[in-house]
């Protein structure tokens, strides 16, 4: 038994050694993969992330210290549970379309509402209170209609609305569900949940007293990871150690998390980041703080469907791109500076940066401490170019030109600030060097390189110089154009120069570069490719390159039959056949945040048929063109849709179930904002968009904006279409449909009302017409009746006129009679007045006679005279006469006296007489005898009468009296 185990162990060691040898031979095809850092400030979450879960590769969910994090490849969202504590576990139930979460003493689920938003429902509140439970829920699993919530010391089993508590005698360190069996890792080994009972794993004694950190499916068995004792594989009821060759690293740095994909085994440690192992040969890649990770403690791991890997760190979240053909040589904090040039000489790679010249073994070997690179301290400073020429390694440096021989440095005298190296066309013992201010010819004499000639006509930083032939060279003049220089090959003097500008055929000289490709000179610019036509001495379009490569190409390089082109969108490569025709190019895109070129110093260094080194601002990247190209057509999707009037209201939100709504907006809310984007997952590739709003068929101009607003939309059905155009020519499209309802007065209900109103109007018109006809008939009848009536009226008028004539005659007679009676009364009064005057005169005479009669003898006559005098007074003041007078007066004057007494009951008899006399137009002189007073007394009585009646001074007494009759 011992010999058998020894043989197995030796076989595995032999296998590992062979794999290591294979790995060393092939390692040059790959450097460090690119790492995207998501700091907690970026996703607005907590530091620690305890679990990573993918849904269809487009949505990722993270159990984070602040809550549930969702990442859709473009935006982060944070969702909190009721007690706002850590979320320790997450489970996506495709059966129930829910996302279950477990936190500190709480569990529940998130579910989509009608707008695509996740809404939380707590399940644990009553159960937790009932059993007085505490602790975190580190795992959630689903089997058929059962949900398990695994905490440190117990398991909660949910069947529909019923919860059952299953206690554990041991602390549960980890858990997993494989083949519908729930496995629990404890310090007492692995337990299985059967019904509501915990049973030990058969043959599992080897795992007792070990700190089990992870249990996961591996092939047709279980892979069990311990913190310090390595990996174990359970297969066919046997548990054996799983040997990878990296046990010492795992034990030293303490395993904490584990994840398995189709091709990789990811081991997260506490002290040294991630160990990524190939399942094929267990070759290792190391990712830690020395080469890109934010933190060395990996709490959780998760692969996506492209085998890219997410790392939940103790502080932050990182994403490692596995499927990209691009890898990186170094990163912060081991940066060696911005990369300008690379060169492989035998078994060494030399790297020129802004800090100086570095070298390393080729292929580059990586350890847990990143790539081992040596620095030539004598060449500290800016390195512009490197060249392996005639057995010598040239280094173009800010301080001059150096020859590097077995790490020994020799300075070529007479040069300062060397920019680029150009080999001589015919003589290997000669070469050209461009410097900051001129262009020089060097020659090797006696094993030493020296300057033998300067071309002073070439100046002003001649970085881009290309020989068309030994006597013709082209020099870029920045944005002025391209200068063509003819040399005398005997003494290298300049025979002729000419600068070619837009008037000579260039559309634009912006970012203009010159290259010699397959013995032909090409020019690359923002407007495309050009070539030189010797016959016309003009610049012409290079259609063979324009048809294959993108505009704004800054580098052209060839190796054998493969032509490479560098543009802002990436690297394109095309194969040239025997007739010189280029095939369709392959585009290898990359994120500018990962590979950003140094403007005017863009460069690619072709290593072999499949490897290209790309110097850039972040260092050096390695492109493997034989590998599978990373898909650039990231999923284009509508992120959010808002109604923007009168205030923002969410209408739709992208969601993991791809539930789509078709909102119908009221006409008063006919403004909308649509947010769209691509799922780049940290790569931030350059994408151009265009959009249109159907039924408008016109597409917008290309833009990088990811938001579009529309206002004052008319009613109707709309479909917002957006296209994403990628750098490799790929196109992706999506759309979102919605409806603007008509205003209430143009809604279907309004049209129904309008139709009913129309019918009502028709009915009313009919009734109106019917009534009009009836009214016309009635009018005609009325006209006839009116004619009859008019005739009758005329007849009646005639009768009335006759009657009025009779009445007038009667009135005239009455008036005459009244006048007559009034005259009679006046005459009576006058007569009475005269009578009274006579009686008064008689009375006065009697008084005179009585005055003359003295003595007793006249006593009897005096008495007779007094008696006579009294009779006279009685005659003057007769009431009967006055009463008859009043009756007659009221009869003639419309009851004047009655009205006067009613209106002025305080008037005396004399005042009433006074009023009647005035009414009869008698003068004061005529009134005096009637009242048996003097004229002056009449005037006084008249004055008192005015005051008693209440007349003002300007009022006329006669006019007032006339108003009473």
């Amino acid at each position: 038994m011992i010999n058998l185990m020894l043989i197995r162990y030796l076989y595995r060691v032999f296998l590992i050694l062979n794999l290591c040898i294979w790995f060393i031979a092939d390692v040059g095809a790959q450097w460090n993969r690119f790492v995207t850092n998501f700091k907690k400030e970026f996703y607005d979450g907590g530091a620690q992330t305890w679990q990573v879960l993918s849904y269809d590769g487009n949505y990722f969910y993270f159990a984070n210290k602040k809550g549930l994090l969702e990442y859709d490849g473009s935006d982060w969202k944070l969702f909190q549970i009721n007690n706002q504590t850590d979320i320790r576990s997450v489970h996506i139930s495709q059966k129930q379309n829910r996302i279950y979460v477990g936190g500190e003493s709480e569990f529940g689920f998130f579910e989509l509402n009608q707008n695509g938003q996740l809404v939380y429902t707590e399940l644990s509140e009553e159960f937790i209170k009932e059993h007085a439970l505490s602790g975190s829920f580190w795992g959630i699993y689903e089997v058929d209609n059962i949900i398990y919530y695994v905490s440190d010391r117990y398991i909660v089993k949910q069947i529909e609305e019923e919860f059952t508590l299953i206690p554990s005698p041991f602390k549960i360190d980890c858990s997993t569900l494989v083949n519908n069996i729930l496995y629990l890792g404890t310090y007492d080994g692995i337990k299985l949940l059967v019904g509501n009972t915990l049973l030990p794993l058969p043959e599992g004694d080897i795992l007792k007293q070990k700190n089990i950190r992870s249990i996961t499916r591996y092939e047709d068995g279980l892979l069990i990871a311990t913190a310090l004792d390595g990996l174990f594989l359970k297969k066919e009821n046997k548990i054996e150690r799983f040997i990878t060759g990296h046990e010492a690293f795992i034990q030293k740095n303490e395993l904490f998390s584990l994840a398995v994909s189709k091709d990789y085994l990811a081991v997260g440690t506490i002290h040294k980041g991630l160990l990524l192992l190939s399942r094929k040969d267990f070759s290792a890649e190391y990712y830690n703080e020395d080469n890109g990770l934010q933190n060395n403690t990996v709490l959780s791991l998760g692969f996506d469907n492209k085998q890219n890997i997410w790392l939940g760190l103790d502080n932050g979240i990182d994403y490692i791109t596995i499927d990209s053909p691009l890898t990186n040589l170094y990163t912060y904090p081991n940066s060696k500076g911005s990369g300008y040039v690379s060169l492989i000489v035998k078994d060494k790679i030399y790297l020129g940066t802004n800090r100086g010249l570095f070298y390393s073994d080729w292929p580059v070997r990586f350890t847990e401490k990143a790539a081992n690179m040596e620095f030539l301290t004598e060449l500290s400073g800016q390195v512009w170019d490197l060249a392996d020429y005639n057995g010598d390694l040239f280094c173009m440096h800010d301080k001059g030109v150096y020859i590097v021989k077995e790490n020994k440095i020799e300075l070529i005298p007479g040069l300062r600030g060397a920019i680029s190296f150009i080999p001589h066309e015919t003589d290997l013992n000669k070469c050209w060097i461009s410097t900051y201010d001129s262009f020089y010819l060097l020659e090797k004499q006696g094993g030493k390189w020296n300057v033998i000639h300067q071309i002073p006509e070439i100046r002003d930083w001649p970085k881009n110089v290309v020989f068309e032939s030994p006597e013709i060279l082209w020099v870029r003049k920045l944005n002025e154009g391209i200068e063509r220089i003819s040399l005398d090959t005997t003494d290298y003097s300049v025979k002729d120069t000419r600068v070619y500008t837009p008037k000579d055929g260039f559309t634009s000289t912006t970012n203009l570069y010159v290259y010699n490709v397959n013995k032909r000179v090409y020019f690359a610019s923002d407007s495309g490719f050009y070539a030189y036509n010797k016959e016309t001495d003009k610049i012409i379009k290079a259609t063979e390159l324009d048809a294959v490569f993108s505009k704004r190409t800054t580098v052209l390089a060839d190796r054998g039959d493969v032509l490479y082109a560098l543009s802002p969108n990436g690297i394109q490569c095309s194969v040239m056949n025997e007739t010189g025709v280029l095939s369709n190019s392959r585009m290898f895109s990359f994120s500018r945040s990962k590979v950003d070129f140094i403007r005017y110093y863009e460069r690619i260094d072709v290593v072999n048929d499949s490897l290209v080194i790309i110097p850039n601002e972040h260092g050096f990247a390695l492109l493997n063109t034989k590998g599978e190209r990373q898909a650039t057509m990231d999923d284009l999707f509508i992120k959010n849709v808002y109604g923007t009037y009168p205030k923002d209201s969410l209408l739709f939100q992208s969601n993991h179930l791809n539930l789509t709504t078709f909102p119908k907006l009221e006409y008063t809310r006919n403004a909308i904002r649509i947010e769209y984007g691509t799922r780049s997952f940290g790569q931030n590739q350059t994408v151009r968009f265009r959009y249109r709003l159907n039924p408008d068929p016109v597409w917008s101009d290309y833009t990088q904006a990811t938001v579009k607003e529309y206002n004052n939309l008319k009613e109707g059905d709309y479909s917002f279409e957006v296209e994403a155009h990628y750098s490799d020519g790929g196109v992706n499209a999506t759309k979102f449909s919605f409806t603007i309802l008509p205003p209430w007065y143009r809604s279907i209900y309004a049209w129904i009302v309008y139709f009913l109103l129309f019918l009502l109007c028709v009915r009313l018109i009919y009734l109106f017409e019917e009534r009009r006809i009836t009214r016309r008939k009635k009018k005609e009848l009325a006209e006839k009746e009116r004619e009859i009536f008019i005739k009758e009226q005329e007849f009646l008028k005639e009768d009335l006129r006759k009657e009025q004539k009779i009445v007038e005659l009667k009135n005239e007679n009455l008036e005459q009679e009244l006048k007559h009676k009034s005259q009679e009364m006046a005459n009576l009064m006058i007569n009475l007045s005269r009578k009274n005057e006579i009686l008064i005169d008689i009375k006065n005479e009697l008084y005179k006679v009585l005055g003359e009669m003295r003595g007793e003898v006249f006593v009897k006559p005096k008495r007779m005279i007094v008696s006579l005098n009294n009779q006279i007074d009685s005659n003057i003041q007769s009431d009967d006469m006055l009463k008859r007078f009043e009756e007659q007066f009221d009869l003639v004057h419309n009851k004047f006296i009655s009205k006067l007494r009613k209106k002025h009951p305080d008037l005396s008899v004399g005042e009433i007489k006074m009023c009647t006399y005035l009414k009869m137009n008698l003068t004061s002189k005529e009134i005096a005898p009637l009242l048996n007073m003097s004229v002056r007394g009449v005037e006084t009585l008249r004055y008192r009468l005015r005051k008693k009646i209440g007349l003002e001074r300007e009022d006329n007494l006669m006019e007032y009296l006339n108003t009473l009759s």
Side-chain angles (χ1 to χ4, degrees), residues 277-502:
L277 301 176
S278 168
R279 289 181 61 175
K280 178 181 179 181
D281 53 24
F282 296 121
S283 57
E285 300 174 38
Y286 300 91
Y287 297 93
N288 47 57
E289 292 177 1
D290 292 330
N291 57 5
L293 294 192
Q294 301 176 76
N295 188 273
N296 273 343
T297 301
V298 182
L299 301 179
S300 56
L301 293 164
F303 285 98
D304 66 11
N305 54 9
K306 297 178 183 178
Q307 298 195 92
N308 301 310
I309 186 168
W310 288 93
L311 290 78
L313 306 176
D314 189 56
N315 194 340
I317 297 172
D318 284 351
Y319 178 75
I320 300 177
T321 307
I322 302 294
D323 69 335
S324 172
L326 278 167
T327 50
N328 198 29
L329 181 59
Y330 56 74
T331 184
Y332 178 85
N334 291 314
S335 175
K336 310 301 179 185
S338 299
Y340 280 82
V341 61
S342 67
L343 180 66
I344 298 173
V345 180
K346 298 180 181 178
D347 60 348
K348 300 290 183 184
I349 179 171
Y350 292 87
L351 304 166
T353 75
N354 67 308
R355 298 183 186 178
L357 185 64
F358 297 83
Y359 70 94
S360 180
D361 293 333
W362 180 261
V364 180
R365 292 177 175 85
F366 293 86
T367 67
E368 60 183 271
K369 295 182 179 180
N372 184 23
M373 302 179 66
E374 301 293 335
F375 178 53
L376 294 175
T377 56
E378 298 91 336
L379 294 179
S380 175
Q382 178 69 58
V383 175
W384 294 109
D385 197 6
L386 294 170
D388 181 19
Y389 187 71
N390 196 12
D392 293 319
L393 176 59
F394 285 78
C395 176
M396 271 51 68
H397 198 278
D398 176 66
K399 300 172 184 176
V401 180
Y402 293 88
I403 302 296
V404 180
K405 289 186 177 181
E406 296 180 356
N407 300 335
K408 294 181 180 180
I409 310 301
E410 294 180 6
L411 176 66
I412 298 176
L415 298 174
R416 186 187 67 83
I419 304 173
S420 61
F421 177 94
I422 300 95
H424 196 274
E425 287 288 305
T426 58
D427 192 349
L428 287 177
N429 287 318
K430 293 179 180 178
C431 66
W432 297 94
I433 300 292
S434 62
T435 67
Y436 292 164
D437 53 8
S438 191
F439 196 63
Y440 296 89
L441 178 65
L442 278 66
E443 185 175 20
K444 191 175 186 180
Q445 300 170 343
K448 299 287 185 180
W449 289 93
N450 295 292
V451 176
I452 63 172
H453 185 73
Q454 177 187 8
I455 301 179
E457 290 83 358
I458 300 177
R459 54 189 182 274
D460 298 332
W461 206 280
K463 177 184 180 296
N464 188 210
V465 180
V466 170
F467 277 86
E468 178 183 342
S469 64
E471 62 275 358
I472 301 295
L473 70 155
W474 295 83
V475 182
R476 185 183 73 171
K477 303 285 286 182
L478 293 179
N479 290 330
E480 298 177 18
I482 291 288
E483 184 176 18
R484 188 172 187 264
I485 300 175
S486 298
L487 296 179
D488 187 335
T489 55
T490 58
D491 59 0
Y492 296 103
S493 61
V494 175
K495 295 192 299 183
D496 183 38
T497 65
R498 182 186 171 187
V499 177
Y500 293 81
T501 63

Side-chain angles (χ1 to χ4, degrees), residues 194-320:
V194 179
N196 293 342
T197 305
L198 296 179
L199 300 177
L201 179 69
E203 305 295 330
D205 291 344
I206 191 175
L207 299 173
K208 287 188 176 182
Q209 310 304 311
K210 291 180 173 54
N211 192 350
I212 301 174
R213 287 286 171 79
S214 178
I215 307 170
T216 186
R217 184 197 300 271
Y218 191 85
E219 296 177 353
D220 55 350
L222 288 179
L223 188 62
I224 302 156
T226 65
L228 300 173
D229 297 286
L231 305 176
F232 295 84
L233 181 64
K234 176 190 177 297
K235 197 171 183 180
E236 297 178 354
N237 293 325
K238 293 182 180 180
I239 301 177
E240 297 179 343
R241 287 190 176 273
F242 188 76
I243 305 299
T244 64
H246 302 278
E247 282 68 33
F249 176 88
I250 294 174
Q251 183 176 11
K252 175 184 176 182
N253 296 294
E254 190 172 345
L255 182 149
F256 193 87
S257 54
L258 182 74
V260 178
S261 71
K262 175 185 175 183
D263 298 320
Y264 296 98
L265 178 63
V267 178
T269 69
I270 290 179
H271 302 296
K272 207 59 178 177
L274 174 70
L275 173 66
L276 185 64
L277 301 176
S278 168
R279 289 181 61 175
K280 178 181 179 181
D281 53 24
F282 296 121
S283 57
E285 300 174 38
Y286 300 91
Y287 297 93
N288 47 57
E289 292 177 1
D290 292 330
N291 57 5
L293 294 192
Q294 301 176 76
N295 188 273
N296 273 343
T297 301
V298 182
L299 301 179
S300 56
L301 293 164
F303 285 98
D304 66 11
N305 54 9
K306 297 178 183 178
Q307 298 195 92
N308 301 310
I309 186 168
W310 288 93
L311 290 78
L313 306 176
D314 189 56
N315 194 340
I317 297 172
D318 284 351
Y319 178 75
I320 300 177

Side-chain angles (χ1 to χ4, degrees), residues 82 138 144 264 311 339 355 357 379 409-410 418 434 515 554 570 642 679 684 688 690 777 800 845 912 920:
N82 288 346
W138 294 95
D144 298 328
Y264 296 98
L311 290 78
R355 298 183 186 178
L357 185 64
L379 294 179
I409 310 301
E410 294 180 6
S434 62
Y515 302 99
T554 52
Y642 294 91
R679 306 183 194 278
N684 301 321
R688 296 185 304 157
R690 67 172 187 167
K777 292 179 178 179
L800 182 61
E845 291 296 328
I912 291 174
M920 295 172 62

Side-chain angles (χ1 to χ4, degrees), residues 740-753:
I740 301 294
L741 298 174
W744 64 267
Y745 51 85
R746 284 204 295 267
S747 66
I748 186 170
Y749 301 106
W751 286 114
I752 292 173
V753 172

Side-chain angles (χ1 to χ4, degrees), residues 29-30 33 262-264 305-308 321-327 571 573 586-590 610-611 622-632 685 728:
Q30 177 184 297
R33 305 179 194 274
K262 175 185 175 183
D263 298 320
Y264 296 98
N305 54 9
K306 297 178 183 178
Q307 298 195 92
N308 301 310
T321 307
I322 302 294
D323 69 335
S324 172
L326 278 167
T327 50
I571 291 179
C573 62
R586 294 178 66 197
M587 170 67 79
F588 296 90
S589 300
F590 38 77
S610 61
L611 297 181
L622 182 68
L623 173 65
N624 187 346
T625 61
K626 291 294 177 66
E628 291 186 6
R629 183 178 49 155
Q630 181 182 11
T632 59
Q685 300 180 48
D728 62 354

Side-chain angles (χ1 to χ4, degrees), residues 154 395 505 651 694:
Y154 56 87
C395 176
L651 304 176
N694 287 323

